[in-house]
Amino acid sequence: MNQKDIGITRAILFCRQLDPNQDVNRRTLEREMGGRIRFFPLPCSGRVDPLYLMRALESGVDKVYLITCPEGACRYQEGNLRAKKRIAYTQGLIEEIGLERERLELIVTSAGDRAAIDELVRDILAREASKGK
């Protein structure tokens, strides 16, 4: 993420293995929501670096979601477990600088759930909106 990404309110980082048609599906939602959402596909959620999560927040993103494969279903065996540890570590770091832990959220998909990435994100955003009411 860089300076041109300022204005994005939600960053969605996700494992490419979740949705075989992720290119088409995520672009549909990006067009719908304009600059308020941005997707960042990863070869594996375990490859995310805490510095990258921090940079997302630094660039002005309100919230970062990291969506992983179900536990035990990672193509790289432990990627989603590493992602969980990295989110927890980064939450601790941002808390130390005065930001809320909730600005980083890990979403572990359900076993057997092969929903398209845009459907997963619509559910997440709907849940978020209902919490705000």
Side-chain angles (χ1 to χ4, degrees):
M1 269 184 229
N2 56 38
Q3 290 298 95
K4 71 180 179 135
D5 293 325
I6 291 177
I8 298 171
T9 60
R10 301 292 177 264
I12 312 294
L13 291 78
F14 68 97
C15 177
R16 288 184 180 151
Q17 308 305 316
L18 292 174
D19 181 0
N21 298 315
Q22 55 94 10
D23 282 333
V24 173
N25 294 334
R26 70 184 166 88
R27 287 191 179 116
T28 300
L29 192 56
E30 283 177 334
R31 275 193 302 273
E32 253 178 61
M33 297 196 69
R36 296 181 321 221
I37 194 166
R38 183 90 187 269
F39 288 89
F40 298 92
L42 303 166
C44 175
S45 59
R47 299 284 310 256
V48 72
D49 187 276
L51 183 59
Y52 189 72
L53 296 168
M54 297 283 287
R55 283 191 178 151
L57 293 171
E58 179 185 47
S59 73
V61 171
D62 293 326
K63 185 150 185 174
V64 177
Y65 290 99
L66 177 60
I67 305 174
T68 72
C69 302
E71 285 192 30
C74 178
R75 180 179 190 178
Y76 299 102
Q77 296 179 338
E78 295 181 2
N80 45 18
L81 300 176
R82 280 192 297 277
K84 184 177 183 177
K85 290 176 185 175
R86 290 177 180 168
I87 282 281
Y89 174 75
T90 310
Q91 285 174 326
L93 289 176
I94 67 168
E95 200 168 50
E96 284 181 27
I97 61 172
L99 296 175
E100 306 83 17
R101 299 178 70 83
E102 295 77 28
R103 294 194 56 190
L104 293 173
E105 186 174 339
L106 178 70
I107 305 289
V108 179
T109 57
S110 304
D113 184 11
R114 295 296 292 178
I117 192 65
D118 61 327
E119 291 173 20
L120 286 168
V121 172
R122 285 178 202 280
D123 290 345
I124 291 166
L125 297 176
R127 180 195 63 180
E128 188 179 276
S130 68
K131 281 183 185 178
K133 292 182 180 179

